[in-house]
Amino acid sequence: MLKKIAVLLLLIFLTSSLAGCWNRKEITDMAIVLGTGVDWTAEGRLRLTVQIAEPGAFAGEEAAGRGEEATNWVVSAEGKTIEEAARNLAPKVPRNIFWDHCMILVIGEEMARKGTNLVTNFFLRSREPREIMWVLVAKGEAKDFLETYSDLEKTSAQAANLLTRMRTGYSVQLWELAEMLAGKGVQPVVTRVEVKEAGVTPGPGQEMKPPVHKQVEISGVGVFKEEKLIGWLDDYETRALLWLKGEPMEGVITVPDPGEPDKEVSITIRRGSTKVVPEYDGKNLRFAVKVKMEGDMVEQQSRENLAKPEMIKVLEKEMAEEIKKRAFITLEKAQKEYGVDIFGFGDAFHRKYKKAWRELKNRWDTEFAEAEVIIEAEAYVREIGLLSKRAGTPEE
Amino acid sequence: MEKFRKPTRTGVPGGIFARDYNDSLKNLVLSQDLEANLQQIKAILDKCSDVIYREFVFAQNEEIRLALIYIEGLADPGQISDQIIRALSLEVPMAVPGQEITKARALEFIKQRGLCIHQLKETYKLQDIIHAILSGDTVLLVDGHAVALVNGARGWEARPLSDSETEPTVRGPRESFAETLRVNTALIRRKIKSPNLKIEALRLGEVSDTDVALVYIEGIVNEKLVTEVKSRLEKINIDAILESGYIEELIEDNPWSLFPTVNHTGKPDRLAAMLLEGRVAILVDGTPVALTVPNLFVEYLQAPEDYYQRFLFASAVRLIRFASMIISLMLPSLYIAVLSFHHELLPTPLLLGMAARREVVPFPVFFEVLITEIAFEVLREAGNHLPRPIGQGISIGAALVLGVVAVQAGFIAASTVIVVVFAGIASLVFANSAGMAFRLLRFALMVLSGTLGLVGMISGAAFIAIHMCTLRSFGVPYLSPLAPIASTDLADVVSRAPWWAMLSRPRLMTGQNQQRQGRGLKPTSPEKTSKGRR
Amino acid sequence: MLEKGKINSLQAILLMISMILPTAVLSVPAITVKSARQDAWLSIIVATVVGLLIAWLVVTLSLRFPGKTLFEYVEEILGKIPGKIVSFFYIWWFLHMNALVIREYGVFLATAIMPDTPISVFHIVVVVVAAYAVRNGLEVLSRANQLLIPTTVLLATVFILSTGNMKLSRMLPVIDTGLLPIIKGAAAPASWLGEIVTFAMIIPYLNRPREAHRVAALSVLLVSFFLTASILEALLIFGPNLTGAWIFPVFNAVRLISVDNSLGRLEIIIVLAWVLGGFFKVGVFYYAAVLGSAQWLELKDYRPLVLPVGIILVALSILIHEGIVDLFDFLARVWPPYALIVFEAGIPLVLLLVALVRGKGGRKNA
């Protein structure tokens, strides 16, 4: 027994020392990728850009004294496939590239027009990159986007991560994109990002205004037909896209004041729901879309006392009209200009008419472009904040 | 004095040193001649300078010669001079003035009226006499009688009862066992005043001839268990039993396992509770702890204090103890696995922060943790053996200085120190013997997780779990009532059930009489409190 | 008797769950969803009925021969030589199935967690741990299983955490493509549930054999419940198209979880639960193969066979398939008919019929 145990221990020890390096990676040997981007170069090759964290900048208090140290390092390489490009990165990066913490995948505009499937397959198939990274389409090149930095966050990848996570616009994760691409009932839309001049960073005792540098910004979505980018929707239209898709509803609706029409009233949307009812008689395709929304009045420019039931009723009516108007603009654009079903009406149709779907699914986008859509909106104003009427209104 | 049962010897070839000597004594008996008897005893106890032979004569009849034999230091000199020598050589005439006592009547008279000693026994066997002397009894030989009177005038310098240092409690009795067997049995008897509390005596160890007591409660204990314990004890054939640990290793079910299958406690209240659950205790003279069998693993998660504190709090503490068990076993290996295999598990900011701090550390995580662990164990062992005040100072100083300087020098990362020390402290939550098993297994798991990451660690953990399932302690599965599940007993394992809900004793242990208390003891409204628990 | 231990009904149920579930959760969803799409849960219901029938068949057969395992009563029913031949095939089947399980285990760990480690390492680790349990007998195997099965609770937590990504509408429309794909999709889960045949090796060691019917049925139902839950988890998140595209959909579903945006990437938890389950899944089939071989060779003790059978298992699991594509193709197309028709339903049914005709066994002692 003693011998057996001794032999076993020896075996364990030997194997462990022999095989110590199978998958073991020390943190100090890793290049932690925070964000990545892919561009289509003029020569027709893929260019992979990675933003790698400089660990020194993240050390907390110890690093406080280090001051202006770069927080990241952006490096690119080209190749016929993503993997090939990644291999070509290896000679430039002295550590193992580690994808697990990559937060964003930026696809350059040219690349997106060429086809996202050239990009997404690698990131879905490999073990390290996560399916939950945010996918963004850059207006311009993805490389430029990654090369900017943010003033509040340390890197542009972190900034973009936070921006998309807050769902300031329409945000989509890699797996959601894959799901939209896999079915025929909906065409993908992807968050658009731009690099624009934002605020400045004034420092104490600075005589001159520091130079303004460019920062990341979310601006609407890119519209895709299958995997290819065909156009854009701006922020205003994106909001309506969210309403029609029935995504978590947020945003502000500004309507004229019921009392003084030249002044405005703003209502933030708290919650809402969307119901799409397809109707099909074998020839004519019709959708009845019902949007229901609840919001709080947050700002009022006029002196009118709106805290009265009849005024609220008027507000609600105006709000519903505004919702309808904006939804129609977006719908028109999708149907007439781009001719793609980005709202998922196809899925709703499939759920109701499963036999007809089998016929229509292969020419769904043309069917959708010609379909009649009726939009109904219901709106409710629930809260009015802490004021009943505008403060400083003289007594009558 | 109770009858000692000499254990039967089963064939050990080659003979232990004391065996021949004991066998040679076996058939010797006393003669009627005092001189001859004394000679014989002196021959046996030759060169034992601590043996005192005191010869004197009976007060009323100087022909009656008497001899006292005892060991200096073990027998109480005050009692001997006052109650024996003074009584027999001076005071007898006062008791029976004018009466002549013949040599023939002497023994009977001394037994009945002469001695003022509380405990008296007669024997004619030389073997018993020698044993009595060596145990601290005083032997009185009377000329003309082939019988010795064994006086229980024991009294030696012993450590007084003190607070338990190994199992301290905040609430509950503080007393703990001492080194003297009789004191310990008395402590138990004080807790359980029932004729069913049986204290059987045995003598083990051929040379040391140690008194051992087998304690159990008849009617609660499983009879088969008592028989089994007895038969295992009787098989012991060793020269000396100096501590209960000797017995523990000689009777346990799984000698190769790291896990102890015999529990021990130094507190009479805890022992009483264990006896009441149907366990058998083994007390050894000279050892301030009692062994208890059968031992279940969950005992290490239970503390006596749990049962004195309010049950909800005690249940919460149980959870903490359970968590500490897992932490002490797995935390270092989890740390190794995460830092060298599964970096994705760390939140991004934490990973970046750790990466920054580790930039300067020269070793792979595995070696770093290993070095720190070994350093921690060294400090701990050193602290155990130094005199208490110095030990504490040194270990604190060394730990602080070593830790801080090592981190500042970039020798090890601060997070490693945190992990190792936390795991080390967590293992202290345990009763010591199970904690030791986990301390060793922690290293095994570290090697596994350094090889295969979490897969290795979890394989090791499964192996440990399977191993624990194979263990039995005196026929009771070690992991019961967790595996196999005994649902009624679980209430006192994962939580501490309130007393009014603990209706039965552990099922697997007790043979009979499983009912612990009456039903309906839960206190209710004020007018019914008279029915509530006392 | 070769095995002296006895286990109770609860332990038997938990053992059967561990025997079927671990690989079922990872391999079945993709196979079933590929053919039945969003109606995969209906496939599981169909498979459950098949599983229950097999369970009834096996238990009924075994209870005619109380105290005897499959290998012992086969000879009684068919006679010595034919009996030996049939039991030899069963030994092969247990070994083959186990080799597949071990391979799935290795392939999963290699693709999902540690691609640089040779899969034979994982095979050896799992076989060593299972061998240790098997060597210590059925009691230890089932007790350790009982101790570690609460890790399944972890799977449930994971399910709850991922509800945020789920959309019920992804299950609609019901019966989209007709009944045939549903039946087709049921083949794989049915062959997994049919593994309950192995229960025939354990029935003699139940402390209350009378409850065997209930034990088998409950095991099948509980496994189908967990299987349905895991299929729905993947389906409600990814929809039928993407679920069919993943190799381990449940694993990918777990990869999406992110608690409070900081604690994410929890898939290692499901891997750990699966690794633990894998030990017992491999352990049960290992035990069946070892006990069966001992009875086939008419040995007095099965323990000398543990080591050789373990070596065979490791070798077989490495040699049996070339790669993951080969393995999953086999599991999806060849395995269901091979296991279901021959070993899980076919032979037991023939045995029962022959026993009835020849009047072998009976309820005298039951």
Side-chain angles (χ1 to χ4, degrees), chain A residues 178-224:
Chain A
E179 198 214 344
M180 286 191 279
L181 282 170
K184 298 212 154 147
V186 61
Q187 293 296 345
V189 279
V190 175
T191 325
R192 174 171 75 166
V193 283
E194 274 180 88
V195 185
K196 276 191 186 161
E197 286 182 2
V200 291
T201 321
Q206 278 178 339
E207 293 288 312
M208 305 252 286
K209 229 178 167 189
V212 175
H213 76 90
K214 292 187 169 181
Q215 300 203 12
V216 298
E217 183 183 320
I218 289 191
S219 57
V221 292
V223 177
F224 284 71

Side-chain angles (χ1 to χ4, degrees), chain C residues 313-336:
Chain C
L313 279 176
V314 173
L316 198 59
S317 63
I318 293 168
L319 297 175
I320 200 163
H321 288 292
E322 280 169 11
I324 190 166
V325 179
D326 195 20
L327 173 68
F328 277 87
D329 185 62
F330 182 84
L331 284 179
R333 296 196 302 123
V334 184
W335 177 255

